[in-house]
């Protein structure tokens, strides 16, 4: 596992450099979700693929930017599922973006996630890493080295509200719930990048990030293996909760395809409790 974590640290600085120096235009290809790929998406994916090609404990990799599973080392123990550059459409307006990694042992499902990590490329590079039996650790990057900054622990109740999806396509009960949080005094914080939006809630003590089922996206937008399940481990280990719209833990999801999505809610205990009440899933 240490090799994998060290590799993620190296990847962070390589992708940071690519963001600063590479062409921001579109490539000629689409990813497997049918979205146009930026040259930076392709470049970041390649950086990660090359990096894990040298790590023998990695049996296979699954990328948000690739259709299937890429086998690397037959005797490896782990499969790394990753979103190389989440929120890449925000790079051209110079907002923060990120990379997300889920490290699975065995079948690709929530209960087999053993560790996860994400990198935030913002004014500074930061990295968060977690395993099943520890608090998430925050690292700050500088001159190609990461320094541990501390543990991440969520308060029982926060005051930030990051609500995703097109509002006109929300259900009435979701809209009512989100409005009720604003009535309680919650403040809107939503950049459209899952990594910085979830990072902000984690570092500012708590709140709610939601990407619900909508009429145009009944299964949500965010991908289970690369985005939803890795962040679920981070939120739970920080003392928060992460569920879908049926009240099931996101860490118990069993994707039937690598690119399956799920409605998802991440937050402190108070907000997730309020959500269950509003959705009638308590
Ligand atoms: P892109 O990678 O296409 O920029 O999408 C980013 C993202 O997957 C995730 O980072 C955001 O939380 C979410 O989409 C935002 O989606 P909405 O704009 O529909 O709220």
């Amino acid at each position: 596992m240490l090799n994998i974590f060290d590799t993620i640290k190296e990847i962070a600085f390589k992708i940071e450099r690519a963001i600063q120096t590479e062409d921001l235009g579109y490539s000629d290809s689409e990813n497997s979700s049918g979205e146009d790929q930026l040259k930076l998406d392709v470049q970041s994916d390649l950086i990660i693929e090359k990096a894990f090609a040298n790590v023998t404990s990695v049996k296979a990799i699954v990328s948000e930017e690739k259709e299937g599973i890429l086998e690397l080392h037959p005797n490896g123990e782990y499969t790394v599922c990753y979103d190389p550059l989440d929120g890449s459409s925000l790079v051209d307006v110079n907002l923060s973006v990120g990379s997300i990694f889920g490290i699975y042992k065995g079948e690709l499902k929530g209960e087999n996630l053993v560790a996860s990590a994400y990198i935030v490329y913002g004014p500074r590079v930061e990295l968060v890493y977690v395993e099943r039996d520890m608090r998430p650790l925050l690292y700050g990057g500088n001159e190609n080295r990461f320094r541990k900054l501390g543990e991440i622990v969520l308060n029982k109740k926060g005051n930030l509200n990051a609500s995703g999806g097109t509002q006109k396509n929300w259900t009435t009960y979701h809209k009512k719930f989100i409005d009720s949080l604003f009535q309680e005094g919650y403040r809107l914080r939503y950049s459209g990048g899952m990594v910085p939006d979830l990072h902000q809630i984690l570092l500012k003590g708590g709140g709610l990030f939601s990407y619900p089922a909508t009429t145009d996206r009944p299964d949500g937008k965010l991908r289970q293996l690369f985005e939803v399940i890795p962040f679920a481990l981070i939120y739970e280990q920080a003392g928060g909760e992460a569920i879908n719209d049926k009240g099931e833990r996101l860490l118990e999801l069993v994707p039937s395809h690598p690119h399956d999505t799920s409605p998802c809610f991440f937050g402190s205990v108070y907000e997730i409790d309020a959500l269950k009440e509003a959705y009638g899933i308590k």
Side-chain angles (χ1 to χ4, degrees):
M1 193 68 76
L2 197 59
N3 278 349
I4 296 177
F5 184 40
D6 285 343
T7 305
I8 290 173
K9 290 179 184 164
E10 286 165 23
I11 287 167
F13 294 113
K14 288 193 175 141
I15 294 184
E16 183 203 21
R17 177 131 191 85
I19 292 170
Q20 285 167 3
T21 56
E22 298 283 322
D23 185 341
L24 299 182
Y26 282 94
S27 70
D28 299 329
S29 47
E30 282 185 348
N31 67 14
S32 45
S33 307
E35 298 160 345
D36 289 333
Q37 282 177 309
L38 290 171
K39 288 182 187 163
L40 259 181
D41 287 320
V42 178
Q43 176 73 12
S44 306
D45 187 33
L46 204 63
I47 288 172
I48 297 176
E49 181 184 328
K50 273 194 188 156
F52 285 122
N54 298 319
V55 183
T56 52
S57 59
V58 176
K59 184 180 169 61
I61 54 174
V62 188
S63 166
E64 203 239 287
E65 299 299 334
K66 293 190 203 329
E67 178 54 44
I69 298 176
L70 183 68
E71 302 289 338
L72 290 181
H73 305 284
N75 296 326
E77 263 182 294
Y78 303 105
T79 299
V80 182
C81 298
Y82 62 91
D83 184 349
L85 201 59
D86 186 72
S88 55
S89 62
L90 301 173
V91 174
D92 61 355
V93 290
N94 208 14
L95 286 177
S96 298
V97 292
S99 304
I100 312 166
F101 302 84
I103 299 144
Y104 297 81
K105 196 170 173 177
E107 202 187 320
L108 297 178
K109 56 182 183 179
E111 68 181 32
N112 287 344
L113 182 78
V114 291
S116 53
Y118 68 85
I119 303 159
V120 193
Y121 311 100
R124 292 173 300 181
V125 178
E126 290 188 338
L127 170 64
V128 172
Y129 178 78
V130 78
E131 293 178 13
R132 289 263 172 186
D133 55 355
M134 59 186 267
R135 291 287 190 201
L137 292 174
L138 172 68
Y139 295 82
N142 191 16
E143 295 183 347
N144 289 337
R145 289 179 71 87
F146 276 103
R147 193 166 60 88
K148 198 191 291 177
L149 300 178
E151 287 184 350
I152 299 179
V153 184
L154 279 165
N155 296 334
K156 290 278 174 246
K157 180 181 185 308
N159 61 6
L160 302 183
N161 190 5
S163 48
T166 308
Q167 295 194 18
K168 81 173 176 57
N169 299 329
W170 287 355
T171 60
T172 43
Y173 53 90
H174 183 72
K175 183 166 175 22
K176 204 168 150 207
F177 169 60
I178 295 296
D179 286 348
S180 74
L181 290 180
F182 288 128
Q183 289 306 316
E184 257 191 71
Y186 280 75
R187 285 175 294 148
L188 175 65
R189 290 290 182 271
Y190 193 75
S191 73
M194 181 186 196
V195 174
D197 288 337
L198 282 165
H199 189 58
Q200 178 165 202
I201 292 171
L202 283 167
L203 294 199
K204 297 233 161 120
L208 182 78
F209 175 97
S210 47
Y211 205 107
T214 53
T215 49
D216 56 335
R217 293 178 184 271
D219 294 321
K221 176 181 183 189
L222 302 176
R223 288 99 177 156
Q224 299 182 23
L225 280 182
F226 323 108
E227 296 171 315
V228 170
I229 296 172
F231 264 112
L233 182 63
I234 291 166
Y235 265 68
E236 285 201 3
Q237 292 304 116
E241 292 184 37
I243 61 169
N244 66 10
D245 52 357
K246 297 182 184 71
E248 294 156 348
R249 287 170 71 221
L250 299 172
L251 274 177
E252 289 174 6
L253 289 176
V254 183
S256 43
H257 182 276
H259 292 271
D260 279 355
T261 58
S262 171
C264 55
F265 304 92
F266 303 87
S268 330
V269 171
Y270 175 86
E271 292 84 17
I272 296 290
D273 235 44
L275 173 98
K276 287 180 182 165
E277 184 89 45
Y279 269 62
I281 51 178
K282 232 176 148 71

